[in-house]
Amino acid sequence: MCAAPSNLSPASEEYEALVRERAEKLREANPDTEKTAIPVDLVTCSGSGLDPHISPAAAEYQVARIAKANDMAEDEVREIVKKCTEVKFLGVFGEETVNVLKVNLMLDGIL
């Protein structure tokens, strides 16, 4: 959802409007998730704007849409996401993340 990172303060009205706009686009693209909270990393950007990882919650939020677009069962997509989930370093440091590039390559049958 993020085309580029910004230097806007998270407390600014402009940033709030940007996040709201991104959330509306996500709701349109994922109508089955109308009552589900949107994971924050889907409407904000990393500092570089190029982070190839998302949270497991962000991946789960998109499972139905991805399954439909790829003519797959949702459980098949979840299995791919699970295989592409990277755990905390040494089981303690950082957060679990999903490697989006790897997910896409697996969906396309390249990996």
Side-chain angles (χ1 to χ4, degrees), residues 31-47:
D32 296 339
T33 60
E34 186 176 322
K35 295 180 181 181
T36 305
I38 297 173
V40 69
D41 55 322
L42 289 179
V43 293
T44 58
C45 292
S46 69

Side-chain angles (χ1 to χ4, degrees), residues 23-39 42 57 59-70 72-74 77-78:
E24 288 173 16
K25 287 180 181 179
L26 275 168
R27 291 278 185 225
E28 289 173 15
N30 299 280
D32 296 339
T33 60
E34 186 176 322
K35 295 180 181 181
T36 305
I38 297 173
L42 289 179
E60 178 60 34
Y61 183 85
Q62 301 175 83
V63 163
R65 177 182 55 79
I66 292 168
K68 185 176 179 181
N70 289 281
M72 299 172 76
E74 289 183 23
V77 174
R78 283 188 184 95

Side-chain angles (χ1 to χ4, degrees), residues 11-107:
S12 74
E13 291 178 16
E14 188 177 353
Y15 187 77
E16 182 180 342
L18 187 61
V19 169
R20 191 176 305 117
E21 179 184 325
R22 291 172 182 162
E24 288 173 16
K25 287 180 181 179
L26 275 168
R27 291 278 185 225
E28 289 173 15
N30 299 280
D32 296 339
T33 60
E34 186 176 322
K35 295 180 181 181
T36 305
I38 297 173
V40 69
D41 55 322
L42 289 179
V43 293
T44 58
C45 292
S46 69
S48 68
L50 301 173
D51 193 355
H53 294 73
I54 59 175
S55 67
E60 178 60 34
Y61 183 85
Q62 301 175 83
V63 163
R65 177 182 55 79
I66 292 168
K68 185 176 179 181
N70 289 281
D71 196 28
M72 299 172 76
E74 289 183 23
D75 286 341
E76 290 177 281
V77 174
R78 283 188 184 95
E79 187 61 32
I80 289 172
V81 168
K82 182 178 176 182
K83 289 178 183 177
C84 299
T85 299
E86 299 172 2
V87 297
K88 296 177 180 185
F89 179 67
L90 299 176
V92 183
F93 301 107
E95 298 297 324
E96 283 191 351
T97 58
V98 178
N99 185 319
V100 175
L101 175 59
K102 194 172 176 183
V103 169
N104 289 332
L105 292 173
M106 289 184 81
L107 289 170

